[in-house]
Amino acid sequence: MKQKESNFVSKVFLTISIIIATYMLIFTAGFSAVFLEILRDISFSLNFKVKFVITLIESLTFASVQDMAIFIGTISALVFLKYPIGGKEARENLREKVPFYDWILFIMVLIPFLYVFFVYDSLALRQGIVYPIDVIFGSIAILLTIEAARRILGLPLILLTIGFLFYGVYNSNFDIKNIVSMMYLYNIGLWGTAVWVATFYIYFFMFFASILKQIGLGEYFINTATSLAG
């Protein structure tokens, strides 16, 4: 039974990892734009238009906030599968058994970020109008992101984060709606510079570094440097 559950967790973890890697490479890294330009050049040079494919790719061009929503949502979801609630150090392998409450958190943390991804155009057109569902999803996103960070980093940094969050709530006269909307619906808070850099730069450095490590190229560079420098 434990073996079956462990295999299921591994499959879920692997599936989500593949999905996020594929999305990031195609859309965030700009490969879709490159492919679109190639199609346009081909259609122009051969005097025909691949209208359907070009229209499809153009419709799949996403805003940076949508890219960050996919990145944070999926990474946070994976944290609840790998890291236990007790704050213990994560093992190299996945846990053999994931408690039911972590599966609930796994689903819950995806919902608010997928909400931003799918209704981003509507959010952009509202011009500051906040609906109750925005506050609910925003609160869930903020709290579960903090919990995911706590499981990885421990309490000290999280206590500092909560302190600054409470300071913002206090200075806004405890206007929770205003704080949540600022952190969840605008290009600050959850969509700040740190997350932008992690989404568009750090992820790709780590992704390609892991590929080089798996194929042994990293060791080759080290051996080459050692042989040259002695």
Side-chain angles (χ1 to χ4, degrees):
M1 184 67 180
K2 287 185 177 180
Q3 184 66 28
K4 289 183 179 180
E5 185 170 0
S6 178
N7 291 337
F8 176 72
V9 174
S10 299
K11 289 178 181 178
V12 172
F13 198 94
L14 178 62
T15 301
I16 294 180
S17 300
I18 292 174
I19 290 173
I20 185 176
T22 304
Y23 176 90
M24 298 291 284
L25 287 173
I26 294 177
F27 299 108
T28 307
F31 286 142
S32 61
V34 174
F35 184 57
L36 180 60
E37 289 301 320
I38 293 174
L39 277 179
R40 284 174 174 164
D41 292 339
I42 292 174
S43 64
F44 179 77
S45 60
L46 298 180
N47 198 24
F48 72 91
K49 295 182 179 179
V50 194
K51 289 185 177 180
F52 174 76
V53 178
I54 291 178
T55 303
L56 178 62
I57 296 177
E58 287 178 340
S59 67
L60 293 177
T61 301
F62 303 113
S64 60
V65 172
Q66 291 174 292
D67 294 334
M68 289 187 282
I70 291 294
F71 178 75
I72 302 176
T74 50
I75 293 298
S76 299
L78 293 178
V79 167
F80 290 115
L81 291 184
K82 186 174 178 64
Y83 291 80
I85 194 172
K88 300 176 182 177
E89 293 184 2
R91 307 167 188 171
E92 291 184 1
N93 299 321
L94 288 171
R95 291 182 285 173
E96 292 183 357
K97 183 178 181 180
V98 177
F100 73 94
Y101 52 81
D102 277 343
W103 283 113
I104 294 174
L105 296 178
F106 168 81
I107 296 173
M108 286 182 63
V109 76
L110 286 173
I111 294 174
F113 291 105
L114 290 177
Y115 172 75
V116 170
F117 179 81
F118 286 111
V119 303
Y120 175 77
D121 292 338
S122 174
L123 294 175
L125 293 174
R126 288 186 197 170
Q127 298 181 351
I129 300 175
V130 181
Y131 295 157
I133 192 172
D134 300 332
V135 179
I136 294 173
F137 282 159
S139 301
I140 294 173
I142 293 169
L143 293 176
L144 292 186
T145 301
I146 291 175
E147 168 58 15
R150 182 197 67 81
R151 295 191 182 197
I152 300 175
L153 303 173
L155 274 178
L157 186 60
I158 302 308
L159 291 177
L160 183 64
T161 302
I162 294 175
F164 279 113
L165 185 61
F166 179 79
Y167 177 79
V169 173
Y170 175 78
N171 280 276
S172 65
N173 295 321
F174 296 93
D175 187 351
I176 303 297
K177 178 181 178 181
N178 181 48
I179 291 295
V180 171
S181 63
M182 290 293 291
M183 295 191 65
Y184 182 64
L185 300 179
Y186 296 93
N187 292 333
I188 55 177
L190 290 175
W191 323 117
T193 303
V195 175
W196 187 88
V197 172
T199 304
F200 292 95
Y201 290 96
I202 296 177
Y203 175 82
F204 295 105
F205 277 106
M206 296 180 66
F207 179 81
F208 289 111
S210 63
I211 292 178
L212 294 178
K213 181 179 179 181
Q214 291 299 321
I215 64 178
L217 197 57
E219 186 177 355
Y220 170 77
F221 285 142
I222 294 174
N223 293 336
T224 302
T226 303
S227 62
L228 291 175

